[in-house]
Amino acid sequence: MFGTQTLGANTGFGSPAATTTNNPMKDFEVTSPPEDTVSAMEFSPATLQQNFLIAGSWDCSVRCWEVEQSGKTVPKSIKTMGGPVLDVCWADDGSKVFIASTDKQVKCWDLASDQVVQVAQHDAAIKTCHWVKGTNYTCLMTGSWDKTLKFWDTRTPQPMMSIQLPERCYCADVDYPMAVVGTAGRHILIYSLENKPTQFKQQESPLKYQHRTVSVFRDKKKAPTGYALGSIEGRVAIQYVAPVNPKDNFTFKCHRSNGSTGYQDIYAVNDIAFHPIHGTLATVGSDGSFSFWDKDARTKLKSSETLDQSITKCCFNSNGQIFAYAVGYDWSKGHEYYNPQKKTCIFLRSCYEELKPRASS
């Protein structure tokens, strides 16, 4: 079973096959990974009994695997888009996957019929897509480099609503009734999605450098209450939408290493994911490592060994037993560091124990 033991060589999770892959954490490798770097990755929602993993890539493909309890991954299907895939999301019932691409479209992949249809359109590449499950409506939210945020019924060709953004959309997250969007120019926009999407507030990023990823977190009552924002300068900001105390908001450094010359090497934070049960978080970076953090105790719970390529994406499955992370080149050091011999990999790790919050003294 997942979560009964850590993924060592002698667990029910199966021992990772001896391959040439650099796998310092001895985690389980997903079979038939994408041909190019993973740009988007999401596990199926809790409404499905099995665990399915979807990954979109710069190779223009979207792949689906079933992750078995033994840890074996079974490739289920693959679809090809009209351009590199920039985001994926699941419908809440697990029946469909939405795929955002540089071809300026979002496609809906109906998993039962295996059919793909276009459901959204922008005037430039679509960077984010999120399914919104409201109390009185459901829709698809898309953010684009055309500087708009659009909401789609998915059954009609015109959006229900279109919001002008101050700049190109770089990152977004949704946890109903809250949506957060980060744009170029270091703008952060927070929306309330109740009844219909309305802007709650706009602010400047608390981070001095370009932000790359944002993730909504919840309070102890499981209501969305704030967000974590990661920047290219190895830093994460924890921001409450309505902080009780201004000191509740803070930033921390991560994904940095001491260089040989006495200077610090600083890497981008590529993705942030919150654990669905514990509320702790994982960050992954261009330094090739992942770290687990407890934001309330303001401590690091664990750091991984460093892999030989960047970690571009991460996610938890719905019950928080599995942590998935994707390894591949993110061009953070330019074309001269691109090595075609190094392949893209996705690893799975049993993580429930490692993400338990620090016991409060």
Side-chain angles (χ1 to χ4, degrees), residues 44-217:
S44 51
T47 41
L48 295 183
Q49 281 193 307
Q50 313 100 303
N51 285 299
F52 292 98
L53 180 65
I54 294 275
S57 164
W58 286 91
D59 70 1
C60 307
S61 77
V62 181
R63 287 168 167 79
C64 178
W65 299 264
E66 184 174 354
V67 180
E68 296 183 351
Q69 292 292 359
S70 64
K72 194 172 117 191
T73 43
V74 182
K76 286 298 204 193
S77 191
I78 178 171
K79 289 282 176 250
T80 304
M81 299 297 124
V85 174
L86 298 182
D87 203 8
V88 296
C89 70
W90 288 80
D92 62 282
D93 62 359
S95 67
K96 301 179 189 71
V97 169
F98 298 95
I99 304 146
S101 165
T102 58
D103 69 1
K104 311 176 190 175
Q105 300 177 1
V106 175
K107 303 266 178 54
C108 173
W109 180 7
D110 185 303
L111 298 172
S113 69
D114 205 31
Q115 297 301 303
V116 175
V117 293
Q118 181 186 335
V119 291
Q121 174 85 38
H122 279 265
D123 297 330
I126 303 175
K127 182 66 173 69
T128 66
C129 64
H130 290 84
W131 184 249
V132 177
K133 183 176 167 41
T135 39
N136 56 350
Y137 72 100
T138 58
C139 70
L140 181 72
M141 181 183 99
T142 57
S144 167
W145 293 345
D146 69 5
K147 306 183 186 179
T148 63
L149 186 68
K150 293 183 180 181
F151 296 84
W152 306 84
D153 175 284
T154 74
R155 292 168 299 194
T156 52
Q158 294 304 318
M160 296 158 40
M161 191 173 185
S162 182
I163 296 174
Q164 191 65 38
L165 296 170
E167 249 291 3
R168 289 152 294 166
C169 176
Y170 277 176
C171 54
D173 195 22
V174 169
D175 188 359
Y176 186 86
M178 179 170 150
V180 184
V181 177
T183 72
R186 298 178 44 254
H187 300 283
I188 301 288
L189 301 106
I190 299 164
Y191 298 93
S192 164
L193 302 176
E194 272 175 291
N195 301 319
K196 69 169 198 178
T198 50
Q199 187 175 307
F200 177 72
K201 70 171 164 187
Q202 178 176 345
Q203 58 198 86
E204 189 181 89
S205 167
L207 302 172
K208 288 208 283 284
Y209 292 84
Q210 184 187 84
H211 41 242
R212 176 160 290 183
T213 178
V214 68
S215 187
V216 172
F217 61 78

Side-chain angles (χ1 to χ4, degrees), residues 11-53:
T11 67
F13 198 61
S15 49
T19 61
T20 53
T21 311
N22 179 295
N23 181 8
M25 299 305 291
K26 311 277 188 288
D27 288 332
F28 205 83
E29 196 174 340
V30 171
T31 52
S32 306
E35 304 287 314
D36 201 346
T37 308
V38 172
S39 48
M41 191 165 64
E42 288 292 334
F43 273 106
S44 51
T47 41
L48 295 183
Q49 281 193 307
Q50 313 100 303
N51 285 299
F52 292 98
L53 180 65

Side-chain angles (χ1 to χ4, degrees), residues 220 294 296-297 299 301 356-361:
K220 297 280 182 272
D294 180 338
D296 301 323
T299 58
L301 300 172
K356 278 191 172 162
R358 263 304 137 80
S360 45
S361 49

Side-chain angles (χ1 to χ4, degrees), residues 317-334:
N317 79 321
S318 60
N319 65 7
Q321 297 286 354
I322 315 167
F323 175 65
Y325 59 100
V327 181
Y329 191 45
D330 58 2
W331 299 86
S332 57
K333 292 182 175 181

